[in-house]
Amino acid sequence: MRVCLVTAHLGNAFHASNPINVRGAEVQYLLLAHALAERFDVHIVTSPPDNDGPVELPAGFRVHFVDPAWRNVKGRLPRARLYAKAFRQALAQADADVYMQTILSLDTLLTQRFCRRAQRAFVYHWASDADVDRLTKPGRRLTAWAYSRARKSASHQVCQTRTQHALLTGREQARASVVPNLLDTRLQWTPDAGRHDQVLWLGAIGPGFKRPDLFLDLAEALPHRAFRMVGVLQGPDAFVQGVKTRAERLANLEFVGFVASRKDLPAQYAAARCHVSLSDYEGFANTFLEAFASGVPVVSLNADPNDLLEGAGAGRCARGNFASMVRLVDAMFDDDAWQRHRKAALAVADAHRPGPIGEKFAAALGKAVAAAGVEVRRGR
């Protein structure tokens, strides 16, 4: 069977010389491509790198770049039309039996329409819990309605968590699977290295839902603990500079900023006592699995994907209460409790290796093909 994974910005991962930030959803699709390539003929449709330069494509699957000529077109409508044409051409080049697309956007609508006309199976893969909330954002109601309608028309949907599955209607739930994210086993996680004495935050430093400002509040609330802030700078200069200036004033906080290569991530977790998530919402954050693989429990303000923190014991969740968050982070420095959470975290990481998770994705893709009535062509 030929499978095509569709995601907007994965091209940045193939830039040969310049380190470019790759978002969490794109990281997952790169891992997923490798996992599925052991079972299927895998293709990827994505945009080329944002910066010029040589491109290095990995072995095991084919990549089809959307022609970037649309970037140079003036006018919103002409640019969108040229992008749509180039996007459809890339989908056609992949010539897959089933297409799986992530991040609710124009790409969702274009992929769904292409699959309907070409009689191929379409799978929508959830990127975060906000995928159903985009409809309510002012100024985007018409386009959000169209994107949401395309999602609901999918042959099958793949949710990252049970929370996302519960957001679907009854009819949609019958055509949806829950498949969690994959652990990046290509990196050398070091659970037995480091001091494990810092509170770590790793994410996008910008005014969005990741809430880096709350990490600074947390450091101020616990002056007797050491904090470490790591992340790419994204957003208005005034906001980013405000975060950096405030961080530099905190004697108990080390501001690292952007880590250029994913190969350097294990070293960031090595000194962590716990990793904290302060996001307003999440899907299934890569940082959770990265922390678990490093033997680092997670303390989260809001997100607890598949009850891995409070249920499986890999950390704690404050259920939206910041005062409780402060207490839970401080409690992680109790050695007996920390060792229990650490043991659970390592077990959770082991359960999210590419092998078993890849099998679950393969099963979901098979359901999509069956639901769409697609006959897999010979030799696939």
Side-chain angles (χ1 to χ4, degrees), residues 50-305:
D50 294 334
N51 297 344
D52 294 332
V55 171
E56 290 182 358
L57 299 179
F61 51 85
R62 289 193 59 187
V63 178
H64 306 273
F65 288 129
V66 177
D67 188 336
W70 63 273
R71 294 174 176 170
N72 301 319
V73 175
K74 295 182 179 180
R76 183 176 179 181
L77 186 57
R79 187 164 57 246
R81 286 175 174 170
L82 186 57
Y83 173 79
K85 180 180 179 180
F87 187 84
R88 289 192 295 266
Q89 289 173 342
L91 294 178
Q93 289 170 4
D95 191 26
D97 301 299
V98 55
Y99 292 77
M100 183 162 68
Q101 185 268 334
T102 190
I103 304 178
L104 198 65
S105 63
L106 175 61
D107 291 358
T108 310
L109 181 61
L110 294 174
T111 306
Q112 184 268 333
R113 288 184 174 178
F114 172 87
C115 290
R116 184 185 62 194
R117 292 169 181 170
Q119 297 183 322
R120 310 295 169 86
F122 168 53
V123 178
Y124 179 73
H125 183 199
W126 282 53
S128 81
D129 296 354
D131 279 0
V132 294
D133 295 332
R134 295 175 191 270
L135 192 60
T136 63
K137 291 186 177 180
R140 298 182 58 189
R141 294 184 184 276
L142 183 58
T143 54
W145 174 84
Y147 301 163
S148 182
R149 189 167 181 262
R151 172 184 64 78
K152 293 177 182 179
S153 300
S155 310
H156 199 75
Q157 294 187 54
V158 175
C159 303
Q160 298 169 313
T161 65
R162 293 190 295 271
T163 299
Q164 293 172 356
H165 191 262
L167 293 172
L168 300 175
T169 63
R171 183 180 177 184
E172 287 181 280
Q173 286 182 351
R175 295 184 290 110
S177 301
V178 177
V179 184
N181 279 1
L182 302 84
L183 172 66
D184 190 348
T185 55
R186 302 170 304 164
L187 300 181
Q188 299 297 315
W189 304 108
T190 54
D192 297 321
R195 305 180 305 276
H196 293 294
D197 61 358
Q198 292 182 325
V199 179
L200 173 69
W201 182 91
L202 196 154
I205 300 176
F209 65 95
K210 295 289 185 180
R211 299 303 303 274
D213 53 312
L214 289 182
F215 186 65
L216 302 179
D217 293 344
L218 190 61
E220 288 179 344
L222 295 169
H224 56 296
R225 303 299 183 195
F227 288 75
R228 184 181 184 88
M229 191 173 200
V230 181
V232 61
L233 307 179
Q234 292 181 341
D237 291 342
F239 180 90
V240 171
Q241 189 57 48
V243 169
K244 291 178 66 177
T245 299
R246 188 178 167 200
E248 290 168 356
R249 292 173 181 167
L250 295 172
N252 63 330
L253 189 145
E254 178 184 3
F255 185 88
V256 177
F258 180 42
V259 175
S261 173
R262 283 189 56 79
K263 294 180 181 179
D264 297 329
L265 284 180
Q268 302 302 321
Y269 289 97
R273 186 73 173 191
C274 63
H275 167 68
V276 298
S277 168
L278 295 157
S279 303
D280 294 328
Y281 59 86
E282 279 289 355
F284 198 126
N286 291 330
T287 53
F288 280 49
L289 291 179
E290 293 165 359
F292 296 157
S294 304
V296 176
V298 172
V299 182
S300 174
L301 179 60
N302 292 296
D304 186 1

